[in-house]
Amino acid sequence: MIVLLPPSETKRAGGDRPPLRLEALGAPALTAVRTALVDELVALAGDRAASRRALGLSPSQDAEIDRNAALLTAPTLPAIRRYTGVLYDALDVESLHGAAAARALARLAVGSALFGLLRAEDPVPAYRLSATSKLPGQPSLTARWRPALEPVLAQIAAGELVVDLRSGSYAALGRLPGAVRVDVVAEHADGRRSTVSHFNKAHKGRLARALATSRAEPADAAAVAGIARRAGMRVERHDSQLTVVVPA
């Protein structure tokens, strides 16, 4: 099983690994797109105004542009430690030890606007690029990633069950038919349901932790739902779509 996570805008600074080596990352079929995007971001960082427009930044966020300028020289961290925020707080990989940690590192992957797909231990620097960013003079990131990323995802899915927790814009970078998909809804006292926004990420992080550390090796959506229920989550299933239901 592979649990495919969304990235986060917020990223831990610094690192304890050597600078980025694109050829050392998993999924080498993605190296050409990765190389082009890294080179473009480094060059774009020389023009702060253009960087702000392309990346949706304000002047107070110029440190993000500095991160992009240093993509090829900055220290790296394993991807699963680089990303921060609500989902990654709930996942809390650094609290895992022994066999649970080993299972998590083998199962977790991250969808990325810059790198396409990262396994948990792929070392990457801090950066700023979102799925909806538009680099000057270039096609959309969706148009650039799909031809390279979709065959890689399809190959993974041919050998393992994939639970896709990516948000819509990141799922669009590489579609994955047949994956188990998850949404989160809040149920009110009168039975009415509404979409969970911010805390959607926390519930997906809890689910990712349960799946990543489970001794079970689920083969389908029903088995994934079973793991979630044993972790105390209320889950409904319709074919390969799971709905996590939480109190409003």
Side-chain angles (χ1 to χ4, degrees), residues 12-245:
R12 188 170 283 110
D16 55 13
R17 303 284 179 92
L20 179 66
R21 291 178 55 234
L22 288 169
E23 69 278 8
L25 300 180
L30 305 180
T31 300
V33 182
R34 291 165 171 164
T35 300
L37 290 173
V38 166
D39 289 346
E40 289 166 26
L41 281 183
V42 171
L44 183 63
D47 185 335
R48 289 189 180 272
S51 289
R52 291 173 193 148
R53 289 193 297 271
L55 303 175
L57 302 175
S58 68
S60 66
Q61 296 174 294
D62 277 358
E64 300 283 356
I65 301 172
D66 296 335
R67 286 180 166 185
N68 285 352
L71 277 172
L72 294 171
T73 57
T76 59
L77 281 173
I80 203 63
R81 292 174 54 204
R82 177 62 72 190
Y83 297 101
T84 62
V86 174
L87 186 151
Y88 289 87
D89 288 345
L91 175 58
D92 194 15
V93 163
E94 294 192 51
S95 71
L96 300 175
H97 302 283
R103 282 191 292 271
L105 293 178
R107 288 173 173 172
L108 293 171
V110 182
S112 165
L114 181 55
F115 300 108
L117 177 70
L118 293 167
R119 299 304 291 257
E121 295 192 276
D122 279 340
V124 292
Y127 67 91
R128 182 62 176 248
L129 185 69
S130 302
T132 55
S133 298
K134 179 66 167 63
L135 298 182
Q138 297 293 338
S140 69
L141 291 176
T142 299
R144 298 178 75 176
W145 270 123
R146 275 188 180 175
L149 184 55
E150 288 186 348
V152 170
L153 292 173
Q155 185 175 19
I156 292 170
E160 299 189 74
L161 179 71
V162 179
V163 181
D164 191 351
L165 301 182
R166 294 175 298 169
S167 57
S169 59
Y170 284 93
L173 297 181
R175 296 164 297 189
L176 188 51
V180 177
R181 302 190 185 280
V182 179
D183 61 14
V184 182
V185 299
E187 187 171 76
H188 299 258
D190 61 2
R192 179 173 51 88
R193 291 182 172 183
S194 58
T195 301
V196 174
S197 53
H198 178 69
F199 288 105
N200 166 63
K201 296 178 181 179
H203 296 295
K204 285 188 174 181
R206 287 180 56 213
L207 176 60
R209 183 180 175 92
L211 296 175
T213 59
S214 173
R215 292 185 177 88
E217 191 62 58
D220 54 27
V224 171
I227 293 172
R229 290 170 185 140
R230 289 194 293 275
M233 306 181 79
R234 180 182 168 193
V235 179
E236 298 174 353
R237 181 178 67 88
H238 180 72
D239 295 328
S240 62
Q241 176 70 44
L242 302 183
T243 300
V244 176
V245 183

